[in-house]
Amino acid sequence: MGYHITVRRGEGELLITEEEFAHAVGQHSDLRYDPAVGKAEIYDAGELVATLKLQNGEIWTKVAEPVVIRRMVSLASILNAKAYGDEDEWYSEDGEAHFPPGTLEAETKKIEKIRYRRVIVNIVKLTLLLAVITKIVLKVINE
């Protein structure tokens, strides 16, 4: 069992139709659509990497590879929808996962960003401090 990526519209919005699915798939040269079974296939470098199914107005796949996520996000954009993972995170065009506010993942990501900023600020402070110390040392040596 794989990790599912699903393209769906928000609650209260229309479900994705077979015609919309076929149209969106047709916008991509690396996707092949088979109307007889209502499935599409994603190819990368000529190799099949994922199968997409339309079920209950949502497009889904069991493959969560970066190339597949990017393609699902592209389909979502055409269909005025979003690409979601199993943990209700949604994906942006760069393949970055975004978690709903208040979830553990969202809070963890926020903390990681804060820590990263602190590290950058500390690096800048240390660089400035080293520059000042170097200037003082050079001044003492030259006297």
Side-chain angles (χ1 to χ4, degrees):
M1 185 169 160
Y3 190 85
H4 293 90
I5 302 295
T6 307
V7 172
R8 67 176 186 261
R9 293 183 174 135
E11 286 188 40
E13 295 183 37
L14 296 174
L15 300 176
I16 299 168
T17 66
E18 186 83 29
E19 294 78 22
E20 289 175 312
F21 181 40
H23 172 74
V25 167
Q27 304 299 308
H28 300 89
S29 61
D30 58 343
L31 271 70
R32 312 249 185 332
Y33 179 69
D34 184 351
V37 292
K39 293 182 183 178
E41 297 174 329
I42 298 177
Y43 289 85
D44 186 33
E47 291 191 35
L48 176 65
V49 291
T51 300
L52 311 180
K53 295 180 182 182
L54 178 66
Q55 191 172 39
N56 300 323
E58 298 178 354
I59 301 166
W60 64 273
T61 185
K62 294 181 191 177
V63 181
E65 298 297 319
V67 67
V68 176
I69 292 172
R70 285 191 302 273
R71 187 54 65 222
M72 294 291 275
V73 169
S74 178
L75 289 170
S77 177
I78 293 169
L79 295 165
N80 195 26
K82 283 190 177 179
Y84 293 91
D86 280 345
E87 297 171 13
D88 208 28
E89 77 280 16
W90 61 273
Y91 291 89
S92 54
E93 295 204 8
D94 60 3
E96 183 77 19
H98 303 272
F99 293 89
T103 62
L104 179 60
E105 293 84 356
E107 296 305 313
T108 301
K109 207 167 202 179
K110 189 188 312 181
I111 290 169
E112 287 173 357
K113 284 182 180 179
I114 291 169
R115 285 183 179 159
Y116 178 76
R117 287 184 190 132
R118 285 182 183 163
V119 167
I120 297 298
V121 167
N122 286 336
I123 289 171
V124 169
K125 286 179 180 178
L126 283 172
T127 303
L128 292 173
L129 182 60
L130 284 172
V132 169
I133 291 171
T134 303
K135 189 174 182 178
I136 292 170
V137 168
L138 289 173
K139 187 175 180 180
V140 169
I141 291 173
N142 291 330
E143 289 180 354

